Amino acid sequence: MFTTRPTLQGTFGMVSSTHWLASQSAMAVLENGGNAYDAAVAAGFVLHVVEPHLNGPGGDVPIILAPAGAPVRVLCGQGPAPTRATIEHYTGLGLDLVPGTGPLAAVVPGAVDAWLTLLRDHGTKDLDEVLGYAIGYAEGGHPAVERIGQTIEAVRELFEEEWTSSAEVFLPGGRAPGAGELMRNPTLAHTWKRLLRESAAAGGDRETRIEAARRVWREGFIGEAIAAHAARPAMDSSGRRHAGVLSGDDLAGWEAGYEDPVRYEWRGWTVCKAGPWSQGPALLQQLALLDGGIDAAAHGTPEYVHALVEGGKLALADREAWYGDAAPVPLDDLLSPAYNDARRALIGEKASAELRPGRPAGREPRLSAHARRGGALPGASGASGAGTAGTGEPTVARDGETRGDTCHVDVVDRWGNMISATPSGGWLQSSPVVPELGFPLGTRLQMTWLEPGLPSSLTPGRRPRTTLSPSLALRGDEPVLAFGTPGGDQQDQWQTHFFVALALRPPVRGGLDLQGAIDAPNWHQDSFPSSFYPRETRPGSVTVESRVGEGTIAELRRRGHEVTVAEPWTAGRLCAVARDPEAGTVSAAANPRGMQGYAVGR
């Protein structure tokens, strides 16, 4: 089969990420003797610089790692709601939804502490060695990709009139960078250089210096600047100026931590995801719904697409009713054979336009009033001013056009270490730049509901349910595949399509056909409340790449799907790396859509 690029194969190490500079920086770390975790940390900090419209130091990152010879673990870099982030505070401001932008939507930023924790516990390099790549690009410049300038122009008026600290960083001289022009962030470079100086002054061994850097991030000059900035009122997507509730105590009192993954066995694979504080188990639920009999002959047929679309609707309806960090989640029941047999029976010949969460073990589903209204926009207090106050996560538009996404990086090394990470949040369009530091805060609180008693209700100290969702899979007891994608709510739809296609495809040169599964025509559906402000729903909506073919499109419409035909290379942003423990080989592939993702290795 024709693919845009070959699946890379080698024996030394492989990296796949959403930006070629991050991939090559990570590969340079491997070449200099570092392991997969050193390389991933370098890539993570580079992504903050070269994709500032998609992630930043003020954002979040869930990580799944499989150290050679050790169990798979999840490292949670998703910070929680601040102590003062109560439902009463927000509704008292006249809000129906948490704004999609501005300091009021900020959680404790989790990405940097997670990367530093990973480096301390599993890396081998000093912090200055892995952070040097990001500092170099921030100080000396990097060629801007097209989407950066386009995103800045979209919020130019906001920057110039309201978020002036953002204009100073992203509109130097009054203009956004053109495609290929060198873009710099000297303030961010200064922040990281000072972090290195202060952590080095602590003395001691590598781990001691990294711990000192974590303290500087949480409690030192960085933490102090973040807390002071969060207290300054700023215009947000409610159309009004609000101060945030994030405090220095919130920053000092939280740190990234390890958890066991959620696992699901499917046709000889064990797929590992983060827990239901993410949307990760929705991928596992989709696989459970396919236990009834998808085979290689069905791949790409209208029946295949219909089955995956309808299964995705059921899984994401359960996400809406059952997932979150504010209440127990009946995950064993949601993944049980009996539950999924009953749910599978709901998939009929025709498309459903209903939000149909299930009743695991007889429990009644709990939906927000917003979801029960079908995702209709709330009153003026929740929607006014959205056009002038920035945007929420720059995810995939309903018509398939990419406004931006998130980031992703996967690494495998010669020793068998693997990692999958999905950094996001803290986008340049999310919140004003902290002037002393050179980056904005994230807005993940927009994923919580201002209604008590729901698994994803706004709750102090609890994580918002995130869409960020890296993946790792094993064969037997051996980790063999790490993958993921940007794409907001679409992440675990696109990843399901990739993984099922990969499992059904014949080997290429004796290995997994990673590139073929990434390049295959893709699609997604939107029959659930969006995780992002203003939380809209599109019942029955399916967006397909035109490459699925006219016959499939016509059949989907006959079955009642509201089909939007997107451009041929617009759905999916997947990265993947793999290893074959028996052959001693490693492989990688990256998404060609957007002309930005790249895999490297040897």
Side-chain angles (χ1 to χ4, degrees), residues 218-243:
R218 298 199 307 266
E219 305 173 50
F221 80 94
I222 296 177
E224 291 172 356
I226 289 174
H229 179 73
R232 300 170 189 143
M235 179 66 72
D236 60 39
S237 54
S238 72
R240 289 179 283 152
R241 297 177 187 88
H242 292 111

Side-chain angles (χ1 to χ4, degrees), residues 240-384:
R240 289 179 283 152
R241 297 177 187 88
H242 292 111
V245 292
L246 182 66
S247 72
D249 288 342
D250 294 317
L251 293 161
W254 181 86
E255 55 186 294
Y258 294 96
E259 304 173 359
D260 290 328
V262 181
R263 298 166 174 258
Y264 188 76
E265 308 284 336
W266 195 76
R267 301 195 182 189
W269 296 82
T270 301
V271 184
C272 299
K273 300 290 287 185
W277 53 268
S278 77
Q279 69 174 3
L283 185 153
L284 309 181
Q285 285 195 249
Q286 289 174 86
L287 294 179
L289 289 166
L290 292 174
D291 277 346
I294 289 288
D295 58 27
H299 182 261
T301 64
E303 294 76 18
Y304 176 89
V305 176
H306 175 77
L308 284 167
V309 166
E310 294 301 298
K313 291 177 183 177
L314 295 175
L316 286 162
D318 277 346
R319 181 198 74 166
E320 188 58 37
W322 297 109
Y323 290 19
D325 197 35
V329 179
L331 203 52
D332 289 344
D333 293 318
L334 290 169
L335 292 172
S336 68
Y339 179 78
N340 284 284
D341 288 346
R343 296 286 277 165
R344 192 180 306 112
L346 297 175
I347 300 176
E349 166 77 11
K350 293 292 187 178
S352 170
E354 299 178 56
L355 187 68
R356 298 184 291 177
R359 301 175 68 247
R363 299 174 181 85
E364 287 299 322
R366 296 164 291 177
L367 291 171
S368 67
H370 186 83
R372 295 195 301 272
R373 288 194 301 264
L377 298 182
S381 64
S384 65

Side-chain angles (χ1 to χ4, degrees), residues 138-150:
E139 189 170 51
H142 59 93
V145 297
E146 292 88 342
R147 292 291 183 186
I148 296 177
Q150 293 168 4

Side-chain angles (χ1 to χ4, degrees), residues 27-53:
M27 193 67 204
V29 173
L30 293 181
E31 295 284 5
N32 287 330
N35 66 17
Y37 308 116
D38 298 311
V41 174
F45 280 105
V46 168
L47 287 169
H48 291 164
V49 176
V50 301
E51 294 191 321
H53 58 313

Side-chain angles (χ1 to χ4, degrees), residues 383-407:
S384 65
T388 59
T391 57
E393 179 169 52
T395 187
V396 177
R398 299 297 184 175
D399 62 1
E401 178 190 356
T402 304
R403 301 180 190 134
D405 282 289
T406 286
C407 304

